[in-house]
């Protein structure tokens, strides 16, 4: 982990909470930091990093503004010559049940979480391709993986970030760019009043930061979703049950209903590397079943 020295990172939403914890943890390892946040917190975090003997610059770029994000990245490259790490952490909540949710609040959450991450990632991508190295960390959530009442907008945005992670992990791998997702459960200003006080005491951002540091390290895996909170870490994966081929004369909704327990049996699941892996598997199984029928 000492190979962080000399690297440059952009951490969004780093004026407090998780972003601050990530920025401080990286700065302790010698990483130069662009501390991005709309509030005043970024300046105080820069001061904290300076007190640690580190180097950081505050940025108030609005990540929903493409031009502002590009200017932030340009500043980092002009100042330090490169960008090695981006932690897409900035986020907001606009919780309501779907029936009561205003579309403006739905769009706002998508704009910040999903499009903000897209803007930052796309702005650094050419630099990472050119240098043959990069680490991108998306911040997803259990709300996006498993769902959560009253968070249709947030869950949709966070689930979309899993899809973005999966695709960019594939596209970036041959370029030396690794892309992962962190699914934190933390007590921060954003979750004030939502987590019981006793639980919140165990869910400090500092309990999660080691996971973020690992996922943007030279030794990082690729295309991983890591759950983190209260010092607990666990990988989440999208898995598929063993596929069941239905012959043409049995390919009905009624047959699916009758064989549902078999189709939904997750006792022997397997991961897939990409959408085409699924397509190829289905075609292969179909061809194999047809060959068996003819023989």
């Amino acid at each position: 982990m000492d190979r962080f020295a000399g690297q440059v990172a952009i951490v969004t939403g780093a004026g407090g909470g998780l972003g601050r914890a990530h920025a401080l943890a990286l700065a302790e390892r010698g990483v130069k930091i662009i501390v991005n946040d709309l509030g005043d917190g970024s300046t105080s975090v820069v001061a904290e990093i300076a007190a640690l003997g580190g180097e950081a610059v505050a940025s108030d770029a609005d990540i929903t503004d493409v031009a502002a994000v590009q200017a932030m990245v340009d500043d980092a490259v002009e100042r330090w010559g490169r960008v090695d790490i981006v932690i897409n952490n900035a986020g907001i909540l606009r919780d309501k049940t779907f029936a009561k949710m205003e579309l403006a609040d739905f769009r706002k959450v998508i704009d910040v979480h999903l499009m903000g991450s897209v803007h930052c990632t796309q702005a650094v991508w050419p630099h990472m391709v050119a240098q043959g190295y990069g680490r991108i960390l998306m911040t997803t959530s259990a709300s996006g993986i498993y769902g959560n009442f009253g968070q249709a907008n947030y869950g949709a945005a966070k689930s979309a970030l899993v899809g973005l992670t999966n695709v960019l992990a594939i596209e970036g791998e041959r370029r030396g760019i690794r892309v992962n997702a962190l699914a934190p459960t933390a007590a921060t200003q954003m979750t004030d009043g939502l987590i019981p006080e006793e639980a919140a005491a165990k869910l400090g951002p500092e309990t999660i930061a080691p996971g973020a540091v690992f996922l943007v390290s030279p030794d990082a895996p690729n295309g991983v979703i890591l759950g983190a909170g209260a010092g607990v870490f666990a990988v989440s994966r999208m898995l598929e049950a063993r596929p069941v081929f239905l012959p043409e004369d049995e390919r009905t909704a009624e047959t699916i209903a009758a064989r549902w327990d078999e189709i939904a049996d997750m006792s022997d699941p397997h991961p897939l590397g990409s959408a085409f892996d699924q397509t190829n598997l289905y075609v292969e199984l179909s061809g194999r079943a047809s060959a068996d029928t003819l023989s």
Side-chain angles (χ1 to χ4, degrees), residues 180-204:
N180 295 290
L182 184 70
T185 178
T188 67
Q189 184 178 1
M190 207 165 82
T191 59
D192 276 351
L194 299 177
I195 300 175
E197 192 173 326
E198 186 177 343
K202 299 179 180 180
L203 292 168

Side-chain angles (χ1 to χ4, degrees), residues 23-75:
L24 289 173
L26 289 173
E28 287 175 353
R29 295 174 180 272
V31 179
K32 300 176 179 67
I33 313 286
I34 295 286
V35 180
N36 168 258
D37 205 292
L38 286 178
D40 297 330
S42 57
T43 303
S44 61
V45 173
V46 167
E48 287 185 82
I49 290 172
L52 293 170
E55 190 173 351
V57 175
S59 165
D60 63 357
D62 181 347
I63 60 169
T64 67
D65 182 335
V66 175
V69 168
Q70 188 62 59
M72 174 177 68
V73 171
D74 290 346
D75 178 58

Side-chain angles (χ1 to χ4, degrees), residues 50-124:
L52 293 170
E55 190 173 351
V57 175
S59 165
D60 63 357
D62 181 347
I63 60 169
T64 67
D65 182 335
V66 175
V69 168
Q70 188 62 59
M72 174 177 68
V73 171
D74 290 346
D75 178 58
V77 173
E78 184 177 348
R79 186 180 298 272
W80 292 311
R82 58 191 297 121
V83 176
D84 302 278
I85 297 165
V86 171
I87 299 183
N88 291 303
N89 169 77
I92 60 169
L93 289 177
R94 295 289 187 273
D95 291 355
K96 279 187 181 177
T97 61
F98 189 64
K100 296 179 180 178
M101 187 175 293
E102 298 286 341
L103 282 178
D105 283 340
F106 205 107
R107 288 193 181 96
K108 183 64 176 176
V109 169
I110 295 290
D111 282 347
V112 173
H113 289 272
L114 175 58
M115 295 311 300
S117 298
V118 170
H119 296 159
C120 293
T121 303
Q122 192 168 61
V124 301

Side-chain angles (χ1 to χ4, degrees), residues 12 23 39 59 105 124 128 159 181 197 204 210 229 238 261 272-273 277-278:
T12 68
S59 165
D105 283 340
V124 301
M128 291 182 172
S159 186
E197 192 173 326
M238 288 187 177
D261 287 348
L272 292 163
D277 284 356
Q278 183 196 57

